[in-house]
Amino acid sequence: MEFILYEQKGAIGILTINREKALNALNSTVLEELSTALDNVNLDEVRCLILTGAGQKSFVAGADIGEMSTLTKAEGEAFGKKGNDVFRKLETFPIPVIAAINGFALGGGCEISMSCDIRICSENAVFGQPEVGLGITPGFGGTQRLARLVGAGMAKQMIYTARNIKADEALRIGLVNAVYPQEELMPAAEKMANGIAKNAPIAVRNCKKAINEGLDVDMDQAIVIEEKLFGDCFETEDQKYGMAFFLDKNKEKVKEPFKNC
Ligand code: CAA
C-alpha cells in the first residue's frame, strides 16, 4: 500500500496513515487503502488496534483540500460518503480501536479520531473543525460525533468558530482521555492496547457492540441489547475459564491467556 502501514505486534495491530508530506491528509487513495487494511486485519489473532499518523507533527490534517477543491455537489456528496463509509467501518470494527493522536487532528483528522473507541494524544496535538473557513461543513461525521462526545454547545462553538484547540483543552472537554509527551504516546497506546488484549476477547467485543448500539436507541431498547450480548458470553470457554479461575482458591495458580472461544 502507498499510504497505510500495518504492523502486528502480538495481539495488537498498529495502523499508520503514512502521507507525511501532506501531513497525512486523507485523499481518496488513503481512504480506500485504510478500508482494505481494516479488511486484512487478522481478527483471530489481533484483539485491539491503534491508529496513528506518520511523523512527529501531524496525526491527520484533514481531508485533502486539493482533491476537494474542484468537486461538484454530487462529487462532494460522494466524497463525504467515501469517508463516512470507512469511518463507520472503523467505528463498528469488531475490536477496539485506540487513536494515538500525535499532532494535528483537524477536520477529517478530528473526525477519524472520533470514529475510534478511545482517544489519547501527544502534548503538541491540535484539534479543530476548520471546515466553515473553507466554505464547507465537516463532512466525515464531525457534525454528528463531536456533539455526541463533547455536547452540542461545545461542538457548535468549535464548528461555527472553526477555532482550533490544544491538547489541554481537548482533555478538559473530554475529547481525549489523556495527554502524553510525544515520545510516551505510542508506548502508552501499546500498553493500553495490550491491557485490552489480555481480557476475554468475546466479552470485549460484546462490550463495544453494547455501548455503540445502545447509544443509538432509548434506554429500554439499550438494556435489551445489553442483555443479549451479556447472555452471549455464557458457555464460552473464556467465561468458563475466567469464572473458574476466580473461584479456584489455589493461591499458586497463574492466569492463562484467554482463548477467544
Ligand atoms: N489537504 C491537503 N494538503 C494538506 C492538508 C490538507 N488538509 N493539510 C496540509 N497539507 C499539505 C500542505 O498543502 C503542505 O503541502 P506542500 O508542502 O506541498 O505545500 C504540507 O501539507 C505541509 O503543510 P503546511 O505547509 O501548511 O504546514 P504548516 O505547519 O505551515 O501548517 C497546518 C500546518 C496548520 C495543519 C496547515 O497545513 C493546515 O491548516 N492544513 C489544513 C487543515 C484543514 O483545514 N483541515 C480540514 C480539511 S477539510 C475537511 O477535513 C473536510 C471534512 O470534514 C471531510
Side-chain angles (χ1 to χ4, degrees), residues 19-23 25 57 61-66 68 79 104 106-109 111 129-131 134 136-140 164:
R19 196 185 171 213
E20 207 177 332
K21 276 201 287 196
L23 303 184
K57 183 172 169 182
D64 191 294
I65 299 171
M68 286 187 296
F79 187 64
F104 291 115
L106 301 175
E111 290 168 306
Q129 297 290 160
E131 287 87 349
L134 295 163
I136 55 172
T137 63
F140 290 168
N164 293 342

Side-chain angles (χ1 to χ4, degrees), residues 242-260:
M243 292 191 179
F245 185 86
F246 175 81
L247 294 170
D248 184 348
K249 299 295 172 204
N250 174 9
K251 296 269 184 281
E252 305 301 313
K253 65 188 189 278
V254 178
K255 201 164 186 177
E256 304 282 334
F258 283 106
K259 295 198 179 82
N260 197 11

Side-chain angles (χ1 to χ4, degrees), residues 64-73 75-76:
D64 191 294
I65 299 171
E67 181 173 341
M68 286 187 296
S69 62
T70 56
L71 299 183
T72 62
K73 282 183 193 296
E75 288 166 346

Side-chain angles (χ1 to χ4, degrees), residues 19-175:
R19 196 185 171 213
E20 207 177 332
K21 276 201 287 196
L23 303 184
N24 304 320
L26 303 171
N27 63 15
S28 290
T29 310
V30 177
L31 293 170
E32 284 155 18
E33 289 187 2
L34 183 57
S35 180
T36 305
L38 288 170
D39 291 340
N40 291 343
V41 172
N42 182 344
L43 288 170
D44 292 331
E45 294 176 2
V46 176
R47 297 179 181 182
C48 188
L49 281 184
I50 297 170
L51 177 72
T52 193
Q56 303 285 301
K57 183 172 169 182
S58 182
F59 171 66
V60 171
D64 191 294
I65 299 171
E67 181 173 341
M68 286 187 296
S69 62
T70 56
L71 299 183
T72 62
K73 282 183 193 296
E75 288 166 346
E77 192 175 330
F79 187 64
K81 179 167 168 39
K82 180 173 272 207
N84 278 330
D85 286 351
V86 183
F87 288 19
R88 192 75 182 124
K89 187 183 267 192
L90 200 55
E91 187 168 50
T92 59
F93 204 61
I95 58 175
V97 185
I98 300 168
I101 301 155
N102 55 314
F104 291 115
L106 301 175
C110 187
E111 290 168 306
I112 198 170
S113 79
M114 293 191 290
S115 305
C116 298
D117 295 273
I118 295 165
R119 281 153 298 286
I120 59 175
C121 74
S122 53
E123 287 165 342
N124 65 326
V126 176
F127 297 81
Q129 297 290 160
E131 287 87 349
V132 293
L134 295 163
I136 55 172
T137 63
F140 290 168
T143 59
Q144 304 309 309
R145 293 194 181 92
L146 189 58
R148 285 166 166 82
L149 266 173
V150 303
M154 188 56 78
K156 286 177 174 177
Q157 181 178 322
M158 282 180 67
I159 290 171
Y160 301 166
T161 64
R163 191 179 67 83
N164 293 342
I165 61 170
K166 293 185 177 161
D168 56 347
E169 195 174 348
L171 180 65
R172 188 178 62 75
I173 66 173
L175 186 52

